Amino acid sequence: MTNPQRRPLIAGNWKMNLCLKGSVALVRALADGLSKPFEGPEILVVPPFTALSVVSEALKGSPIQLGGQNLHWEEKGAFTGEISPEHLKDAGCTHVLIGHSERRQYFGETDATVNKRLKAALKAGLVPVVCIGETLAERESQKTYRVLETQTTGALQGLQAADLKTLVIAYEPVWAIGTGKNATPEQAQEVHLFIRKLLAHLSSETIAREVRIIYGGSVKPDNIELLAAQEDIDGALVGGASLSAESFIKIVNGVKKG
Ligand code: 13P
């Protein structure tokens, strides 16, 4: 991360883990464990929907921000089981994950629905963290770049250049998620550079320089430093290691200031 225009972001995606008590305990431990005054990367936690309000309350006065794991594109109505942009904002969220590979794999998420969610998030003033990534089979059959190009163009369809500025892209190779096998810093850098060039092509060089592209997939305290030192890696989306205050703080502290 060498571009001062992009402040690194470390986000913890808790997925379907922790209930209220555990969620509050975790964010309290995080807030207590950060150096004060805190001058490191931007920090985001992304708990399950049910914990958003209590976590938001517990985070008051700390630099840690709050995100939802998904959102629906409609503002309200008969969409049983869905969460609207307004629900997220009402619960204290500033960010939202969109198109996580687990949603693509298990819940029928497509590039078209990612695009709708992304537009809804931007309209509501939420910072979207759009996830893209190839499977192992796609990587092994040399389709990585084609897949990422399709996912990125599909997600960004119809967006204006100004919209792209607030966007965060999370490159999460599916084969690295929850497997303990992270992409090497060089592998990840190569892909991040590809995504940045694609963004330049889809918008402009200036915008592409400003968009943060973070890496996710088995990020741990012992690999964050080398990953985050890569020129086009602007932070991390952390799963398993974000469920322990100790390891998440080590990851936060492993990132140099932007
Ligand atoms: P792990 O860090 O557990 O591999 O999960 C990554 C991820 O999917 C974050 O969104």
Side-chain angles (χ1 to χ4, degrees):
M1 162 80 204
T2 51
N3 191 325
Q5 274 176 295
R6 304 190 299 265
R7 184 173 177 207
L9 169 67
I10 296 294
N13 175 10
W14 298 1
K15 309 192 180 186
M16 200 172 72
N17 293 293
L18 298 179
C19 287
L20 298 185
K21 221 168 131 185
S23 299
V24 170
L26 176 53
V27 285
R28 289 215 174 112
L30 287 177
D32 287 349
L34 292 177
S35 52
K36 297 185 185 59
F38 182 71
E39 289 178 341
E42 202 175 317
I43 308 171
L44 176 68
V45 291
V46 190
F49 294 134
T50 49
L52 288 174
S53 296
V54 289
V55 167
S56 168
E57 199 54 40
L59 285 178
K60 281 201 174 129
S62 95
I64 303 170
Q65 304 181 86
L66 187 64
Q69 294 182 13
N70 190 17
L71 88 176
H72 191 60
W73 50 86
E74 293 291 344
E75 286 175 13
K76 61 179 171 181
F79 302 102
T80 303
E82 292 299 317
I83 293 281
S84 73
E86 207 51 43
H87 284 134
L88 293 184
K89 284 175 45 178
D90 195 35
C93 292
T94 47
H95 292 62
V96 61
L97 299 186
I98 297 175
H100 191 280
S101 66
E102 285 147 18
R103 301 231 45 97
R104 294 178 191 258
Q105 266 182 296
Y106 309 129
F107 303 103
E109 186 82 78
T110 63
D111 295 334
T113 53
V114 166
N115 179 248
K116 287 185 180 194
R117 293 185 211 282
L118 174 53
K119 285 177 176 159
L122 289 167
K123 190 171 167 212
L126 289 161
V127 177
V129 180
V130 175
C131 307
I132 57 172
E134 81 287 1
T135 62
L136 185 59
E138 288 162 345
R139 176 162 279 260
E140 285 178 344
S141 53
Q142 328 296 328
K143 292 197 187 117
T144 299
Y145 290 138
R146 206 184 319 158
V147 167
L148 296 174
E149 185 169 349
T150 305
Q151 290 178 343
T152 309
T153 3
L156 304 187
Q157 197 75 42
L159 292 184
Q160 305 302 314
D163 293 331
L164 299 185
K165 278 195 197 177
T166 51
L167 178 78
V168 177
I169 292 190
Y171 168 57
E172 297 205 301
V174 179
W175 48 270
I177 295 179
T179 57
K181 188 176 174 233
N182 63 291
T184 63
E186 295 73 23
Q187 273 175 327
Q189 164 59 26
E190 193 181 306
V191 171
H192 282 227
L193 180 59
F194 169 80
I195 299 166
R196 202 173 300 288
K197 284 186 177 159
L198 181 60
L199 290 173
H201 175 71
L202 295 172
S203 57
S204 69
E205 293 275 350
T206 318
I207 302 274
R209 258 197 304 273
E210 287 178 33
V211 173
R212 286 175 296 177
I213 307 173
I214 63 177
Y215 167 80
S218 297
V219 172
K220 301 275 181 299
D222 62 4
N223 58 25
I224 184 64
E225 256 178 76
L226 286 180
L227 284 163
Q230 302 297 313
E231 183 156 351
D232 290 286
I233 300 184
D234 307 313
L237 181 53
V238 187
S242 71
L243 295 171
S244 136
E246 192 191 343
S247 61
F248 195 59
I249 288 172
K250 280 189 186 155
I251 291 173
V252 166
N253 291 338
V255 178
K256 298 223 165 50
K257 257 203 297 171

